[in-house]
Structures are given as structure tokens and as C-alpha cells.
Amino acid sequence: MKNRVLALVAACTTGVLALTACGSTGGGTSADGTVTLKLVAADYGDKAGNSSKAYWDDLAQRFQAANPKIRIDVQVVNWNDIDKQVKTMVQSGNQPDVLQTGGYADKVADNLLYKVDDVLSVATQANLISTFATAGQVDGVQYGIPFVSSARAFFYNKALFAQAGITEAPKSWEDVRKDAELLKAKVPGIIPYALPLGPEEAQGESVMWELGNGGGITGTSGGYSLDSPANVDTFRWLRSGLVDTGLTYANPASTDRKTAFADFAAGKAAMLNGHPSLIQMAKDGKVDYGVAAIPGKDGALKSTLGVADWTMAFRKNGHKEQIKRFLDFAYGKENTLKFDELYNLMPVTQDTLKEMTSSGRHKDLEPFFALLPQASFYPLGKTSWDNVSAEIKKSIGTAVKDDPAKVLGDLQKKAEAAAADR
């Protein structure tokens, strides 16, 4: 997510040795029966500071005031280090009780986690937005608890559209092509559609187009379907409809999302798919932008790509009831709303979504709020997904230059091999 920005945090969060030196030796029970839960969380703070540790420290203090027999040992780690450090903690037997980070499937594969049924009350589970809860499942059992989310939508430059005589956002692929042709003719020098299929996030851009044609990463059976007829057809259209006619970058396979976002924020690109962080970038660049549903082959998508970060609970220290009490508290509306507003992120709970939608304080995010309940996700429950995603990033962009059937067929073979290895 955009808000995973590097930040300097407290000394106890800078490395594995620091975590140990600060007395983080695993959850335990003191002589008076007080249980200590170890919480390890990712830092969403920006370069100017604003570390997430302040949020978690405040939450922990309020929880401990209401639950004096449960202490929360808070450790906040930057995004670049957290997965490596948690892996080291697990290998050394120093597992946290609660972890908040970007993924959960590898911990499920190693049989480390509680099921969500064990550590969330029925009421808290029911309050999760259902599509996000389902995305936390492995083989039909939920282990990952969504923490914060983001969704994707279509951005367009209203001023450039007006110069080209276009009065509304495109709804279909053909609309995108026609609008791009008008923009190329009427506003020379701009990029009509910014198509980033470079290695930064090619898996995201590609799946947004595939969803518009009834395709995607997996099929109805749950297995990988990267070379499905729908996906091959999608890339054939992108090649003939946009790339070969010069309506996007000369080489989308080497163009990253950050370039596309920067071009849009500078008024150099007229259309692209983006997430909420592009709103502030566009404002900073004084771009008069609009947001709409992503165009599909035959009309605007009713679903979109959703992205989430996750919370999970480890079984090793055996503090199931204390973890449940803490997580029910952490997922209360007061706390989730505070974190989402602090970092301009999207909610994963129904009551917070309702509050943010109705408050009037988040007008810019309203198009994304409407899309959240129907979001589609990467196959996060597959332990092979990280490897498959890496392969997609490397080569799927070449499918708009070379034969899409061959490019996607090669990716499908690699995906099947990765799945077989797990």
C-alpha cells in the first residue's frame, strides 16, 4: 500500500537484536497471573514521523486500563524489515501473540496460527466486510483478519477530457479506445492511457483488465488460470486497441506504476487505474481529476481489485482467551476509525465503513467506499502466490508485445510448478 513508507522508529524496532534486547522474549504469565501479549505491527508512518507505535501504545494503555491482568508488549517494525524479523522470531521460538503485517498464508502453511473463530467473537466477525473476511481464508477456514484496505478505481483528467470534447468517463474498453484516440488527436503530447505493466505492480494492472473480461488469476475450481481464453483475449485487445496504436507508453512492460502516477499528477497522462493515494498526488499537482468505476469489456465493473493488510494470532504461547479480548477491543469502531483516518486508509469493518461514508469528512474516498463490498482479491490463501506474483511481475507486460498465448502459457506452467512445490 501507498502508506507503507519507510520511517525511522524507536530503537526497539530497528532489528532482531533490538527486539530481543528490549525484553521481547515472548508472551508469558507473571506470578500474580498477569498475562503479557506480544504484539508486532508494521509501521505506516511517513518520512516525517507519525509512527504507528503511538497509535498502538495508546490503544494498549486503554486496553490495559480495562483489563489489568493483560499487558500488551508493543513492537512496531518498518515494512522493509518486518517479514524478515518475524521469520527470525519464529525460527528462534520467540513468536508474537498477535502480528499485523501484509500476509498470512505462509504462517498457515507452517501451522502457526489460530483460526479466526478461536480469537474473534461472533459479533466482531460479523462486523467484518464479508469479501475481506473471505479473502482471509485458506481452504475455507479463516486465519487472516483484515486490518486495513484499499481498492482500485479509474482516474481521468477532466481538463484534458474537456479539451478533447469528452463529456463523461468511459464505461467500456471501446469507450477507452475512442477517448484515447480523441485525446491523442486533440491534445498532442500527452499519454492518453497510462498502462503500467512494469515489474512494480504488473500483477495489479493486469488483473484489473482481466476482471473486465470475466478472467482473473484463478478459475472457478480455485486453481491458477493465467492462460485462460478470457485472459489471452484481454491482452490481445490491449495490444491492438491501445499499445500498437500509440495510445499508451511505447513499452508498457518497462513502465512502473510510480511513473504512471507521476505523469497523471503532472497533467501528462489523461487516464489510468489508481488507488486512493493518487487523490492527494493529483491535488498536489493541481489536476482537476474525476474517479469512476473501472471500464470493462462491455461496461463498467461492479467489482474491483481489493488489497488488504492483515492481523493474525499465533498459537505457540497459548493465550487464546486473552488474544480474543484484545482483538475484540482493537477492532472496535473507535480504534479502527482512528487508524483509518490517521493514515487515510480504507475500512474493513461495516460500522467504520458506515461512519466514514456518512460523516461527510471523506468525500474524496466515496467512490472507493462504494466499491469495497464487491472487491476481488489476489489468491492470498495460496502459499505459492508470492512466487507466482513475482513471476507475473517479471514478464506479463511482454504479453502486449509478444504472443499473449505464449507469454501467459509460460506463466501458467510456472504457477502450476509453484503450486505443486507447496
Side-chain angles (χ1 to χ4, degrees):
M1 288 186 183
K2 172 67 170 64
N3 282 293
R4 297 177 184 174
V5 184
L6 294 180
L8 293 176
V9 294
C12 290
T13 69
T14 57
V16 178
L17 292 177
L19 285 172
T20 303
C22 292
S24 186
T25 58
T29 304
S30 66
D32 68 352
T34 299
V35 170
T36 296
L37 299 180
K38 181 166 66 176
L39 165 70
V40 176
D43 194 357
Y44 291 74
D46 56 27
K47 292 179 181 178
N50 196 24
S51 170
S52 303
K53 192 169 190 306
Y55 169 85
W56 287 112
D57 282 345
D58 172 71
L59 185 147
Q61 289 170 11
R62 289 185 287 110
F63 174 77
Q64 288 167 179
N67 300 270
K69 290 294 186 180
I70 306 175
R71 179 179 175 271
I72 309 299
D73 175 14
V74 175
Q75 304 289 339
V76 174
V77 186
N78 71 63
W79 277 105
N80 273 12
D81 295 335
I82 189 167
D83 288 341
K84 178 176 63 177
Q85 291 191 15
V86 170
K87 183 177 181 180
T88 300
M89 293 165 71
V90 169
Q91 290 174 343
S92 65
N94 184 26
Q95 297 178 17
D97 294 285
V98 177
L99 172 66
Q100 185 277 302
T101 187
Y104 61 86
D106 56 331
K107 286 86 174 173
V108 177
D110 293 334
N111 197 29
L112 300 176
L113 303 182
Y114 281 115
K115 299 175 184 178
V116 170
D117 284 347
D118 292 331
V119 290
L120 278 188
S121 68
V122 172
T124 301
Q125 290 184 67
N127 191 35
L128 297 173
I129 295 173
S130 61
T131 50
F132 287 84
T134 301
Q137 294 180 356
V138 175
D139 296 330
V141 178
Q142 188 182 352
Y143 296 90
I145 308 167
F147 179 66
V148 291
S149 69
S150 182
R152 306 302 166 89
F154 180 83
F155 283 74
Y156 61 101
N157 185 312
K158 291 182 178 180
L160 296 180
F161 268 46
Q163 285 180 253
I166 305 169
T167 58
E168 63 180 4
K171 295 182 175 61
S172 68
W173 290 357
E174 184 63 15
D175 291 341
V176 171
R177 186 190 65 77
K178 289 179 179 178
D179 289 349
E181 288 180 340
L182 280 171
L183 286 156
K184 183 178 181 180
K186 301 288 187 180
V187 196
I190 64 147
I191 300 157
Y193 184 88
L195 180 67
L197 290 171
E200 181 187 0
E201 205 198 26
Q203 84 288 3
E205 182 70 19
S206 61
V207 78
M208 284 183 271
W209 285 95
E210 291 167 353
L211 288 171
N213 195 26
I217 296 167
T218 58
T220 54
S221 66
Y224 289 110
S225 59
L226 302 180
D227 63 344
S228 69
N231 290 349
V232 172
D233 179 61
T234 296
F235 278 90
R236 283 179 176 153
W237 186 90
L238 283 171
R239 178 176 179 175
S240 63
L242 295 180
V243 179
D244 287 351
T245 50
L247 300 177
T248 185
Y249 296 106
N251 188 4
S254 64
T255 305
D256 282 334
R257 183 187 66 184
K258 63 183 178 182
T259 300
F261 277 26
D263 285 340
F264 185 82
K268 298 177 181 178
M271 298 181 279
L272 80 171
N273 295 323
H275 54 60
S277 69
L278 188 53
I279 292 172
Q280 190 58 52
M281 291 180 66
K283 287 181 176 180
D284 291 344
K286 302 189 185 308
V287 171
D288 183 13
Y289 70 93
V291 179
I294 294 173
K297 185 175 183 180
D298 299 315
L301 293 186
K302 294 180 180 178
S303 177
T304 187
L305 176 63
V307 180
D309 292 332
W310 301 90
T311 306
M312 61 215 73
F314 285 71
R315 297 189 300 114
K316 181 177 183 293
N317 298 324
H319 297 143
K320 180 172 65 174
E321 293 307 316
Q322 291 83 3
I323 291 171
K324 177 185 282 190
R325 193 174 301 178
F326 174 70
L327 289 176
D328 279 344
F329 180 84
Y331 276 83
K333 185 175 72 171
E334 174 188 358
N335 298 316
T336 56
L337 180 64
K338 180 178 179 180
F339 195 92
D340 292 340
E341 291 189 329
L342 181 62
Y343 294 109
N344 197 32
L345 291 167
M346 306 288 283
V348 296
T349 53
Q350 296 181 46
D351 57 1
T352 303
L353 175 60
K354 183 177 180 180
E355 174 71 20
M356 293 181 75
T357 303
S358 62
S359 68
R361 299 191 302 271
H362 309 283
K363 291 290 186 183
D364 292 337
L365 294 175
E366 286 181 359
F368 295 91
F369 292 150
L371 294 167
L372 274 183
Q374 291 81 39
S376 297
F377 293 84
Y378 300 127
L380 303 171
K382 292 182 175 295
T383 55
S384 57
W385 169 239
D386 284 348
N387 290 335
V388 173
S389 176
E391 292 295 337
I392 293 173
K393 291 177 183 180
K394 288 179 190 175
S395 62
I396 201 165
T398 62
V400 295
K401 179 182 178 182
D402 302 327
D403 178 15
K406 183 179 187 311
V407 173
L408 297 181
D410 289 344
L411 280 171
Q412 177 66 19
K413 291 175 184 176
K414 291 178 180 178
E416 290 173 352
D421 286 342
R422 293 289 176 168

